Amino acid sequence: MAAAFAALASTAAPVLADTALKVVATTGMIADTARRIGGDSVDVKGLMGPGVDPHAYRQTRTDILAMTKADLVLWHGLYLEAQMEEFFHDLEAKGNLVAVTDSLARDLLRAHDDYADKYDPHVWMDPRLWVFVAERVQEALTQARPEQAAYFAENAEAFMADLNALTEYAEKSLTSVPQDARILLTAHDAFGYFGQAYGFEVMGIQGISTESEAGLNRISALVDMLVDRQIGAVFVESSVSDRSIRALVEGAAARGHEVTIGGELFSDAMGENGTYEGTYVGMIDHNITVISRALGGEAPVRGMADRLSAGT
């Protein structure tokens, strides 16, 4: 009887929209994680949609109103939302603000290439690190609504299972890429944790922040590298202009070396709302699949769960 009661208690009944916990999340990755864990008990508003660069994003008046009225505000931290930091420090006095990376052990983080006292914020590129973020989101939701703790725990368990499956898929697909082809060159250095996790040499035209400039000397040096090492594919990003990447392709062509664009990756923002790629799992599934296939590895066209858009 006790076990049956516990099973019933573990799944909370959906709450009415007007009584749902009102959550504001800065990035799409955080918003999706909050929705997965919060389920019907939360009403999540994401500030930054598809194609939005969080490094350069500034809060609007609508954003400020939403955050001041929210029951809980989830932001990334690690200097990702650099233009919003001052506002967040002002908002801290309200007491409902959580930086979802604040519990990550610093020995798991990569140094920032522009700021000696800061870290690379792109931890979502490694699903194993995103597990810690998901746990922090679960903790924040539970603190806000302790009576929903069992429901949040059940949802979190299902989400963690997806993250584990994603990690297994990444390891299988990416280890199939030939060793000498494991070079990932993108518009900015957002894939450091990805490279660290899966043994890829990662290069960005710009640094960790898109605010850094890519000068002509940097472009020229990368063209030399493409030609010298006979690298055949580079990648554009959905939230960063492709101008510099195309300059690399043209520069290599002028030197007699053909470089193709291996595909568009999701770096700082997810895919379109309402699509599989518009979820955290779908975003990373897409990246793994595109990178693996473009660099000579083996991965199914439609990804881990056969859900990627046709032509990915």
Side-chain angles (χ1 to χ4, degrees):
M1 181 66 72
F5 179 78
L8 286 171
S10 69
T11 306
V15 298
L16 297 175
D18 59 352
T19 61
L21 186 74
K22 291 180 171 53
V23 179
V24 172
T26 53
T27 70
M29 294 77 77
I30 300 171
D32 181 63
T33 300
R35 291 187 186 105
R36 285 292 308 269
I37 296 172
D40 295 323
S41 293
V42 299
D43 177 11
V44 181
K45 173 182 174 61
L47 299 185
M48 305 177 198
V52 175
D53 177 3
H55 299 282
Y57 189 85
R58 295 179 183 274
Q59 67 275 11
T60 65
R61 290 185 179 183
T62 302
D63 294 341
I64 293 171
L65 183 63
M67 285 187 278
T68 54
K69 288 187 172 184
D71 299 312
L72 178 64
V73 177
L74 301 173
W75 64 301
H76 186 81
L78 297 179
Y79 209 53
L80 176 69
E81 304 99 334
Q83 309 305 319
M84 301 176 72
E85 289 240 335
E86 184 177 348
F87 171 75
F88 285 134
H89 292 316
D90 291 340
L91 194 63
E92 279 178 334
K94 192 179 177 201
N96 66 337
L97 182 72
V98 173
V100 298
T101 59
D102 63 6
S103 62
L104 267 172
R106 277 7 190 192
D107 61 357
L108 296 176
L109 301 177
R110 298 175 68 241
H112 199 296
D113 58 7
D114 294 323
Y115 302 97
D117 59 339
K118 299 189 185 301
Y119 301 93
D120 180 349
H122 302 91
V123 295
W124 58 87
M125 289 300 180
D126 183 350
R128 297 172 304 178
L129 292 179
W130 200 248
V131 165
F132 296 109
V133 172
E135 289 174 347
R136 186 69 179 98
V137 170
Q138 179 189 353
E139 179 185 349
L141 294 175
T142 301
Q143 288 176 339
R145 284 283 172 85
E147 68 276 13
Q148 295 285 310
Y151 178 61
F152 296 149
E154 183 178 321
N155 291 343
E157 184 178 358
F159 186 51
M160 300 299 184
D162 285 350
L163 297 185
N164 290 335
L166 198 56
T167 295
E168 291 175 6
Y169 174 65
E171 290 171 347
K172 180 180 179 180
S173 299
L174 296 168
T175 55
S176 71
V177 175
Q179 192 69 44
D180 60 359
R182 295 180 192 178
I183 300 169
L184 181 61
L185 199 160
T186 61
H188 86 296
D189 190 12
F191 291 83
Y193 291 104
F194 177 96
Q196 186 173 276
Y198 304 114
F200 278 67
E201 183 179 354
V202 174
M203 286 170 264
I205 299 176
Q206 295 168 274
I208 286 172
S209 171
T210 56
E211 296 295 285
S212 58
E213 292 293 330
L216 290 177
N217 288 341
R218 175 66 172 163
I219 297 290
S220 178
L222 287 173
V223 168
D224 289 342
M225 187 271 299
L226 289 172
V227 174
D228 292 344
R229 297 176 65 175
Q230 291 295 290
I231 294 170
V234 294
F235 299 85
V236 297
E237 301 174 32
S238 66
S239 56
V240 182
S241 169
D242 65 358
R243 188 183 320 129
S244 295
I245 287 290
R246 294 193 181 279
L248 287 185
V249 173
E250 292 167 6
R255 298 269 303 275
H257 175 57
E258 182 181 357
V259 177
T260 63
I261 292 180
E264 181 181 68
L265 304 178
F266 299 117
S267 55
D268 292 342
M270 304 191 304
E272 292 298 322
N273 295 330
T275 67
Y276 175 57
E277 291 85 349
T279 67
Y280 173 76
V281 171
M283 165 195 189
I284 302 300
D285 185 359
H286 168 95
N287 287 349
I288 293 165
T289 303
V290 168
I291 291 168
S292 179
R293 292 177 62 83
L295 297 180
E298 297 178 2
V301 174
R302 299 197 62 183
M304 173 181 76
D306 196 34
R307 294 183 62 191
L308 294 178
S309 300
T312 289

